Amino acid sequence: MNNQMELSFLSLAENEAFARMVISAFLMQLNPTMSLVSEVRTAVSEAVTNAVVHAYAGRTDGRILLRASLDEQKVEIEVEDFGCGIMDVAQAMTPFYTSQPDQERTGMGFSLMLSFMDGVHVTSAPGSGTLVKMTKLLHEEDVDAV
């Protein structure tokens, strides 16, 4: 089985829950474990939240794209925004780093993505938006394949 989907939505905080539900529904065709669904939902939630909070800084007219494809071995997910971009991706991926310390942000978004997914790759540049690519293997024995 190979399948893919793409969804575009506005940078509204309430669309984070919508994205979680969409990715959950997309995964259901594989009869996944609840643990796998929970981990993927959390990673997608963090990526979308980063786009809403950081890329668009409260603007509600920004676009976020959620793309996913799956086969028997893995699900690949992309969350893309067209916002302000990230100046230093390595620094942004450091645990507890936040560009908004005055807003009670934990700085754990990328750390959560990294802990729940088998692969995470971030491409960004100031003024160019951000693309987060994540891979989750569906079978533990495939972990070495990422």
Side-chain angles (χ1 to χ4, degrees), residues 27-42:
L27 289 171
M28 285 300 121
Q29 62 195 291
L30 296 173
N31 194 27
T33 64
M34 290 308 295
S35 176
L36 182 129
V37 173
S38 178
E39 291 174 353
V40 171
R41 284 171 51 108
T42 300

Side-chain angles (χ1 to χ4, degrees), residues 55 81-89 122-131:
D81 69 65
F82 307 94
C84 66
I86 302 170
M87 178 144 341
D88 186 339
V89 172
V122 180
T123 305
S124 187
S128 300
T130 301
L131 174 61

Side-chain angles (χ1 to χ4, degrees), residues 30-144:
L30 296 173
N31 194 27
T33 64
M34 290 308 295
S35 176
L36 182 129
V37 173
S38 178
E39 291 174 353
V40 171
R41 284 171 51 108
T42 300
V44 167
S45 176
E46 293 297 330
V48 170
T49 297
N50 278 354
V52 169
V53 171
H54 300 289
Y56 295 114
R59 284 186 26 224
T60 58
D61 62 341
R63 282 271 162 214
I64 299 172
L65 294 178
L66 172 63
R67 291 185 286 272
S69 63
L70 54 82
D71 58 33
E72 294 83 13
Q73 283 86 34
K74 66 185 176 307
V75 60
E76 295 179 322
I77 299 166
E78 295 182 353
V79 176
E80 184 173 16
D81 69 65
F82 307 94
C84 66
I86 302 170
M87 178 144 341
D88 186 339
V89 172
Q91 181 183 38
M93 294 182 77
T94 302
F96 304 111
Y97 172 80
T98 179
S99 62
Q100 299 176 346
D102 57 323
Q103 294 188 10
E104 297 184 27
R105 300 283 167 201
T106 64
M108 293 301 292
F110 283 123
S111 295
L112 287 169
M113 287 179 238
L114 287 163
S115 70
F116 288 132
M117 302 299 280
D118 295 306
V120 176
H121 181 77
V122 180
T123 305
S124 187
S128 300
T130 301
L131 174 61
V132 178
K133 293 183 178 185
M134 301 179 281
T135 303
K136 180 70 171 176
L137 298 174
L138 303 175
H139 310 287
E140 289 186 27
E141 61 271 12
D142 294 335
V143 170
D144 292 334

